[in-house]
Amino acid sequence: MTNEIEEIQKNDSLNNLADSIVHIVTEVRSTTSKYINTKLVTTYWSIGKHIVEFEQGGDAKSKYGTSLLTNLAKILTARIGSGFSRPNLNNMRKFYLTYPICQTISDKLNWSQICELITIDDNLERSFYEKECVKENWNVRTLRRQMDSGLFLRLAVSKDKEGILALVQKGIEIQTPADIVKDTYTLEFLGLPDINRYSEGDLEQRIVDNLQSFLLELGKGFAFIRRQYPITINNVHYYVDLVFYHRILKCFVLIDLKKNSVKHEDIGQMNMYLGYFAKEENMSNDNPPIGIILSRNKDELLVEYATYGMDSNLFVSKYELYLPNREELRRLINRIINN
């Protein structure tokens, strides 16, 4: 049977016919899936609308109080079946209140993504995640991780008012090296212990072991090339901890890991790495490489002096082994917005 199939697959005309049919079926399945999702989302929005209008229709709150959704869930579950628990009904209600115009979102996101977005009370923050979710086709797990790690807050806190508003209106736009570098990277997924109990080698190994999560934290466009990338200059061997290539900016990205504070010699060494890659590794169509020193602590004044007159593509960033204090970041952003 296997040999027969192999012989049939050698027939070019039949293969072309099969390709056409596969294209049709795939397209129909995709369209059907999108249609079903849109109908499901609009249905839940309509249910939320009915609940809110019922609440606003007179004495509903005084008559039912907090028992409204609980009792409604029991009736609907008895009549229709599963899917209409109190938490689900509450999400439908909140969906309608958060998005009074359903068309703005119903054909872009699925119900699981919407349930995550409506947990965000701040309109600016929610708008950012909504746009990134659509642009980058995040699944719900990715969306949840980016929200938990405070991606918007971490990006926004380093910008001025205009920059924050641009982030909200357009999402992340990558045009310059600075656009792909964060001030702080959150590496809670590494599961590393207290700082005194791990080495730089441990840090590197954990990153390689959790490469998918690290790529997500780095952001769009990064492709992993190699760890401990060897460089030889005058018979002296050096090794760049992690080397990536950025598909959008078309350049190498070199990352050196430091367990503690970055020192001036670390900055000088990274500058040497950048020079080597620019001269020896770049192809004719590559842009100048980017260097990121990722350290546990960062002395801003030392970095300012140590990088004076150096390549503007050299960055020093911090990493944290725990999720950020989002409320503190939110207060900082509100001060920037309101000034």
Side-chain angles (χ1 to χ4, degrees), residues 244-285:
F244 297 82
Y245 191 85
H246 201 274
R247 296 180 294 104
I248 300 173
L249 294 180
K250 297 188 182 307
C251 65
F252 286 104
V253 181
L254 319 180
I255 297 180
D256 242 13
L257 304 169
K258 301 302 172 188
K259 178 183 174 183
N260 297 304
S261 299
V262 64
K263 300 180 175 61
H264 64 85
E265 54 264 33
D266 300 325
I267 293 172
Q269 185 177 59
M270 176 57 79
N271 197 51
M272 179 186 70
Y273 291 165
L274 292 176
Y276 180 91
F277 265 76
K279 295 287 187 181
E280 307 297 338
E281 299 290 347
N282 269 17
M283 304 294 284
S284 59
N285 59 340

Side-chain angles (χ1 to χ4, degrees), residues 3 57 131 253 334 339:
N3 291 335
K131 286 180 173 58
V253 181
N334 286 337
N339 281 343

Side-chain angles (χ1 to χ4, degrees), residues 12-273:
D12 290 340
S13 59
L14 275 179
N15 273 321
N16 290 336
L17 175 60
D19 288 342
S20 300
I21 294 172
V22 168
H23 175 73
I24 292 170
V25 172
T26 302
E27 194 172 64
V28 168
R29 284 177 176 173
S30 176
T31 303
T32 303
S33 177
K34 289 178 182 177
Y35 175 78
I36 292 172
N37 175 69
T38 300
K39 293 300 290 184
L40 181 68
V41 169
T42 54
T43 297
Y44 288 165
W45 182 87
S46 296
I47 293 171
K49 181 174 184 288
H50 280 290
I51 292 172
V52 171
E53 289 179 345
F54 181 82
E55 288 176 330
Q56 296 172 345
D59 63 346
K61 282 192 176 181
S62 60
K63 187 174 181 180
Y64 297 101
T66 57
S67 66
L68 171 61
L69 293 183
T70 301
N71 293 335
L72 182 60
K74 291 177 181 177
I75 295 172
L76 292 176
T77 300
R79 293 188 182 182
I80 306 174
S82 62
F84 297 93
S85 63
R86 186 183 186 282
N88 282 348
L89 291 178
N90 189 56
N91 280 340
M92 296 172 201
R93 176 184 179 277
K94 193 167 184 179
F95 176 33
Y96 170 73
L97 291 172
T98 305
Y99 293 97
I101 302 175
C102 184
Q103 287 78 5
T104 61
I105 196 171
S106 61
D107 60 344
K108 299 176 183 177
L109 299 171
N110 62 43
W111 179 240
S112 296
Q113 293 166 325
I114 290 169
C115 287
E116 293 297 326
L117 289 170
I118 61 178
T119 64
I120 305 173
D121 294 327
D122 184 82
N123 292 332
L124 297 179
E125 190 174 348
R126 188 189 321 108
S127 176
F128 167 80
Y129 287 114
E130 179 188 323
K131 286 180 173 58
E132 284 300 302
C133 206
V134 173
K135 281 172 55 180
E136 302 305 323
N137 197 28
W138 287 346
N139 58 30
V140 69
R141 182 180 177 184
T142 300
L143 172 61
R144 191 179 295 124
R145 197 270 161 179
Q146 299 290 34
M147 289 168 54
D148 288 343
S149 69
L151 176 63
F152 168 72
L153 301 173
R154 289 186 288 138
L155 294 174
V157 77
S158 62
K159 299 181 181 294
D160 57 16
K161 183 176 180 179
E162 289 72 23
I164 294 173
L165 294 178
L167 198 61
V168 169
Q169 293 162 3
K170 301 176 183 178
I172 299 172
E173 291 195 314
I174 297 174
Q175 298 175 341
T176 68
D179 294 330
I180 70 166
V181 180
K182 297 185 180 81
D183 284 347
T184 304
Y185 291 82
T186 299
L187 308 180
E188 92 293 344
F189 52 84
L190 299 183
L192 280 166
D194 179 79
I195 191 167
N196 295 320
R197 296 169 55 198
Y198 70 88
S199 65
E200 289 174 0
D202 294 331
L203 178 61
E204 180 185 318
Q205 185 61 54
R206 291 290 182 98
I207 286 175
V208 173
D209 291 343
N210 295 272
L211 191 57
Q212 185 175 355
S213 296
F214 187 62
L215 285 168
L216 179 61
E217 175 62 12
L218 287 177
K220 181 180 179 181
F222 284 86
F224 181 60
I225 302 297
R226 183 173 176 176
R227 68 187 293 190
Q228 291 298 306
Y229 197 105
I231 291 175
T232 302
I233 303 173
N234 291 333
N235 291 323
V236 178
H237 304 296
Y238 304 90
Y239 299 89
V240 186
D241 289 338
L242 301 168
V243 176
F244 297 82
Y245 191 85
H246 201 274
R247 296 180 294 104
I248 300 173
L249 294 180
K250 297 188 182 307
C251 65
F252 286 104
V253 181
L254 319 180
I255 297 180
D256 242 13
L257 304 169
K258 301 302 172 188
K259 178 183 174 183
N260 297 304
S261 299
V262 64
K263 300 180 175 61
H264 64 85
E265 54 264 33
D266 300 325
I267 293 172
Q269 185 177 59
M270 176 57 79
N271 197 51
M272 179 186 70
Y273 291 165

